[in-house]
Amino acid sequence: MSTVLVVDDEKNYLVVLEDLLLDEGYDVLTASSVAEALQLIRNNAIDTVLSDIKMPGMSGMELLDKINEIDAELPVILMTAYAQVDQAVSAMKKGALDHIQKPFNNNDVKRAVARGVEKRSLVTGRRLLAGDGANPGEIIGASEPMRRIFDIIRRVADTTTTVLISGESGTGKELVAKAIHKASSRAAMPFVSLNCAAVSEHLLESEMFGYEKGAFTGATSMKIGKFESADLGALFLDEVGDMSLNLQSKLLRVLQEQEFQRVGGNKDIKVDVRIITATNKNLKEEVAAGRFRGDLFFRLKVVYIELPPLRERLSDIPLLTAHFLDKYSIKLNREILDVDPDVMTALSNYSWPGNVRELEHVIERTLVLCSGTKITFRDLPSELQKSKNDSPAASVYSGAKSLADTLEEIEETIIRDALKNAGNVQAQAAKSLGLSRSNLQYKMKKYRLL
């Protein structure tokens, strides 16, 4: 849910605007002064600011200047009286997204805020793609499920809250964990990863907590474990569902007390570690079967992120394909200028049991075997050549198009399909797309569908 900050020194306007935006499905924060607004911006994840210009003390123009210093990409909409139109024009030159004249029309406010929230969502996605708060160039997606995940990452990053990430193998759970860490104030500190399914129970305990010299045969010196290595940073425990009940108890104690003992030791060691875990198992079912502790499950699942399989975000395939083509063209020293549309059709209709990781391997293999500068249908593995049905994602892709053009064409196609499936009932189409009706109408105007 996106958050809108409304700033006005007149209480009546704050109440009216708060009710209006709450009805549109936004979280709403209010401030009656610029100073109060700036404090809220610094302490909360704000998606759009709607502010009056004329206020006692600092004005809305001064608020705009301050926001540009803090976050120049935070959309700001200014509300103006008729006599302040020239001032509004100056604000637009300074980067304000829009201005609304008082007394305002409710629909004008809804449209302007929807534009601001949409812009913020795209900025968030671009930052993650570019490596601002995410693993550089690795988290790729513009679909609605991925935008929701980007939003959760941004909101949870700079906290100490435990996060549980679930999803099928190959969906990118570790990338999301790294994105959370890199977007946090702990980013300069270690990010330590441990796969709980890759080592035996005895070795896993030693890996997690370390051991003292002489703790067991072969322990000729003291070893620091992952918890100590991650002190002041983050520890990512992958496949935590494979951890034994005995180790689960010890992990729960560390989460509760922020201290542990090395194997063979009796000294409590204090640590400050942010815990992020991941699993491809259904931990709720594991708890019911007695294979996973219920108290640990709820302690890990304070914030829960479920990554969608690739088959549920097919509109991201052109973006992922373009990214992997760029990556492996450089790595393999290949020049690929175009992709046959039949290739995109096949990619968009395959079931992808191995998810994004499988797509990456397919693109690498295809580049290795491709003989020219254009990838053709014949270059694909045989299992993908069986996919011949058209799909919305494939029909809008062209290797010559820019990322922005591709995204817009995908979005337009999805909106057209939603309207068609809803019998052109906008409210129903908006609900199926997870949009407010005003946001859908804005997009329909954008693509000339009204």
Side-chain angles (χ1 to χ4, degrees), residues 126-372:
R126 189 175 72 247
R127 284 177 174 176
L128 290 169
L129 279 168
D132 181 1
N135 198 36
E138 293 297 333
I139 298 185
I140 308 294
S143 61
E144 188 60 32
M146 293 309 295
R147 289 189 185 191
R148 287 195 294 269
I149 287 167
F150 290 163
D151 188 54
I152 295 172
I153 290 172
R154 178 164 56 86
R155 291 170 185 273
V156 77
D158 210 14
T159 69
T160 58
T161 302
T162 55
V163 179
L164 174 62
I165 307 166
S166 74
E168 297 177 6
S169 179
T171 50
K173 296 185 287 294
E174 185 165 359
L175 295 180
V176 171
K178 287 180 178 178
I180 292 170
H181 178 63
K182 289 186 178 182
S184 75
S185 57
R186 296 175 179 242
M189 305 309 291
F191 175 87
V192 179
S193 179
L194 177 61
N195 188 325
C196 300
V199 291
S200 65
E201 178 182 353
H202 173 68
L203 290 177
L204 182 58
E205 182 175 5
S206 298
E207 285 293 314
M208 288 173 63
F209 305 121
Y211 53 78
E212 298 289 353
K213 180 180 179 179
F216 49 82
T217 303
T220 57
S221 62
M222 184 269 289
K223 178 183 176 181
I224 289 177
K226 300 295 187 184
F227 268 97
E228 282 181 88
S229 299
D231 193 25
L232 301 180
L235 175 60
F236 174 59
L237 297 175
D238 198 7
E239 303 305 344
V240 71
D242 290 90
M243 188 179 290
S244 69
L245 288 168
N246 177 47
L247 274 181
Q248 290 174 34
S249 299
K250 295 182 178 182
L251 174 59
L252 182 62
R253 179 178 182 272
V254 179
L255 289 170
Q256 292 172 339
E257 307 295 334
Q258 287 287 290
E259 64 181 25
F260 64 93
Q261 294 180 356
R262 297 192 191 109
V263 175
N266 54 20
K267 177 184 175 182
D268 289 333
I269 299 171
K270 285 278 187 181
V271 287
D272 176 10
V273 178
R274 202 264 180 84
I275 302 296
I276 305 172
T277 59
T279 182
N280 60 12
K281 292 185 175 181
N282 185 323
L283 289 190
K284 193 172 182 180
E285 292 180 358
E286 294 294 297
V287 170
R291 293 187 292 265
F292 202 87
R293 292 180 61 111
D295 48 2
L296 178 60
F297 171 59
F298 291 111
R299 184 67 181 81
L300 296 177
K301 194 186 174 183
V302 177
V303 171
Y304 179 61
I305 298 176
E306 184 174 7
L307 292 181
L310 186 54
R311 62 184 174 274
E312 292 180 8
R313 44 179 289 224
L314 293 178
S315 63
D316 286 332
I317 285 180
L319 305 181
L320 289 160
T321 300
H323 167 68
F324 292 134
L325 283 174
D326 287 343
K327 177 179 177 179
Y328 287 103
S329 292
I330 295 170
K331 183 177 180 180
L332 300 172
N333 194 27
R334 295 296 310 275
E335 183 180 22
I336 300 297
L337 302 178
D338 199 7
V339 178
D340 194 302
D342 287 344
V343 170
M344 294 309 303
T345 299
L347 293 177
S348 296
N349 285 279
Y350 181 58
S351 60
W352 298 111
N355 293 295
V356 178
R357 185 184 295 127
E358 184 183 6
L359 174 61
E360 180 175 4
H361 293 163
V362 165
I363 298 302
E364 182 180 10
R365 173 195 181 278
T366 301
L367 275 174
V368 169
L369 299 180
C370 177
S371 57

Side-chain angles (χ1 to χ4, degrees), residues 8 125 185 192 290 414-416:
D8 202 309
S185 57
V192 179
I414 292 172
I415 289 172
R416 285 182 182 274

Side-chain angles (χ1 to χ4, degrees), residues 397-449:
Y397 180 78
S398 167
K401 291 178 182 174
S402 69
L403 174 61
D405 288 342
T406 301
L407 282 174
E408 288 193 350
E409 292 193 17
I410 290 171
E411 184 175 61
E412 180 181 350
T413 301
I414 292 172
I415 289 172
R416 285 182 182 274
D417 287 347
L419 287 166
K420 181 179 178 181
N421 292 336
N424 287 321
V425 178
Q426 293 178 17
Q428 186 175 335
K431 184 177 181 181
S432 70
L433 292 167
L435 301 173
S436 66
R437 186 171 179 180
S438 61
N439 200 349
L440 174 62
Q441 289 173 338
Y442 165 73
K443 291 176 183 291
M444 290 172 68
K445 287 182 180 179
K446 177 181 177 181
Y447 299 120
R448 299 179 181 178
L449 301 179

